[in-house]
Amino acid sequence: MTVFETIKNRRSIGKMTAQKPTRKQIEQLLEAATHAPNHHKVEPWKFLVLAGKSRAELGAVMAKALAERLGDVTNDRAQAMLNKEHNKLLRSPVVIVAAAEAPHQPNVLAIENIEAVAAAVQNMLLTAEELGLAAMWRTGDAAFDPHIKQWLGLAPDDQVVAFVYLGFPAIQRLERRPTPFEEKTTWLDWEE
Ligand SMILES: Cc1cc2nc3c(=O)[nH]c(=O)nc-3n(C[C@H](O)[C@H](O)[C@H](O)COP(=O)(O)O)c2cc1C
C-alpha cells in the first residue's frame, strides 16, 4: 500500500476483539510515532502502554476523578456514568496514552509540542492501519484531569493528547467521505 492509500483507507474502529496485538506491533507504532515532525527537535512525546490490569487500575482512577467532577453521585444517571468510565479502557486490549511535555525551553511553545504529539499519534494510526490493527483516538474530560495526569506520572502542565485504543477489528469500519478539499482550500497566484 502506498502512504496515500493507507491515509485514505484509515478509519477509526471503536470495537476490538480481546486479542492483544504483539509487542513487536506496538513497538512499530511507537517507532513510527518518534518520526513525527517536531519544532526545535525537542521530541516532546511521552508514551504509556497500558495492557492487562493497568487498564482497570486507570479506569478506577478515571471513575474517581469523574465522581469528583460530578459532585453529587447519588443518582442513577451519575452511577451509570461512573460505571461506564470505570470500564472505558477495557474496550480494547491495549491503550497507548500519548502525552506532550510542557516546554522546558523559552523558545518552545506548548501548542507546538501538542501539535507534534498529534502528528506522532497520526503516525501510529497509519501504522496500525498498515498492520491490520483497529485503532481509535479518544480523549474526553479524563485527558485534562489532574488526577489522571498524576497517575500517569505526568507533570501538571503536560498534556494528554490521545488515548489510542488498539486491538484487532471486531466490526467493519464505517465509511466516511471527507468534505472535498476544494471546499476548504483557497489558491493564491496558482497560474495554470
Ligand atoms: C483530538 C481528537 C480527539 C478525539 N476524541 C475522540 C473521543 O473522545 N471519542 C471518539 O469516539 N472519537 C474521538 N476522536 C476520533 C474522531 O471521532 C474520528 O477521528 C472522526 O470521527 C473521524 O473518523 P475517522 O477517524 O474514522 O476518519 C478524536 C479525534 C481527535 C483528532
Side-chain angles (χ1 to χ4, degrees):
M1 259 198 293
T2 65
V3 174
F4 190 47
E5 282 165 344
T6 305
I7 289 169
K8 289 203 292 181
N9 286 341
R10 183 212 61 81
R11 289 277 92 74
S12 298
I13 300 177
K15 282 206 166 43
M16 288 97 175
T17 67
Q19 187 189 348
K20 203 169 85 178
T22 64
R23 172 90 177 207
K24 196 160 161 251
Q25 287 173 320
I26 297 298
E27 286 181 353
Q28 204 171 332
L29 264 57
L30 294 165
E31 188 180 348
T34 63
H35 284 271
N38 61 104
H39 201 179
H40 305 292
K41 298 195 180 74
V42 291
E43 302 182 346
W45 29 77
K46 288 183 187 172
F47 305 112
L48 274 101
V49 182
L50 305 182
K53 64 179 171 43
S54 64
R55 294 166 306 146
E57 283 166 14
L58 179 55
V61 177
M62 282 164 55
K64 198 161 167 248
L66 175 60
E68 206 169 294
R69 291 198 301 275
L70 290 174
D72 176 13
V73 292
T74 52
N75 55 79
D76 287 351
R77 191 173 160 268
Q79 285 301 320
M81 285 171 75
L82 292 180
N83 194 38
K84 190 173 169 205
E85 194 76 1
H86 204 285
N87 294 318
K88 255 185 186 168
L89 297 167
L90 303 178
R91 288 177 292 186
S92 71
V94 179
V95 179
I96 299 180
V97 183
E101 279 178 349
H104 306 301
Q105 309 83 346
N107 56 340
V108 176
L109 301 176
I111 191 169
E112 292 198 333
N113 280 1
I114 293 166
E115 289 162 350
V117 176
V121 171
Q122 176 70 350
N123 279 4
M124 283 200 256
L125 299 185
L126 294 176
T127 305
E129 172 66 31
E130 212 166 63
L131 296 177
L133 298 176
M136 181 98 194
W137 179 339
R138 296 185 192 268
T139 49
D141 291 341
F144 307 98
D145 190 289
H147 301 293
I148 314 293
K149 288 189 196 181
Q150 193 182 22
W151 189 90
L152 293 167
L154 300 174
D157 49 0
D158 289 347
Q159 191 70 56
V160 172
V161 174
F163 295 101
V164 183
Y165 286 64
L166 291 158
F168 289 90
I171 51 165
Q172 293 279 340
R173 69 194 64 209
L174 291 173
E175 204 181 316
R176 180 173 73 83
R177 283 175 201 270
T179 305
F181 67 86
E182 285 88 345
E183 293 180 34
K184 302 279 186 182
T185 310
T186 305
W187 300 72
L188 299 179
D189 291 332
W190 186 269
E191 290 164 12
E192 216 164 75

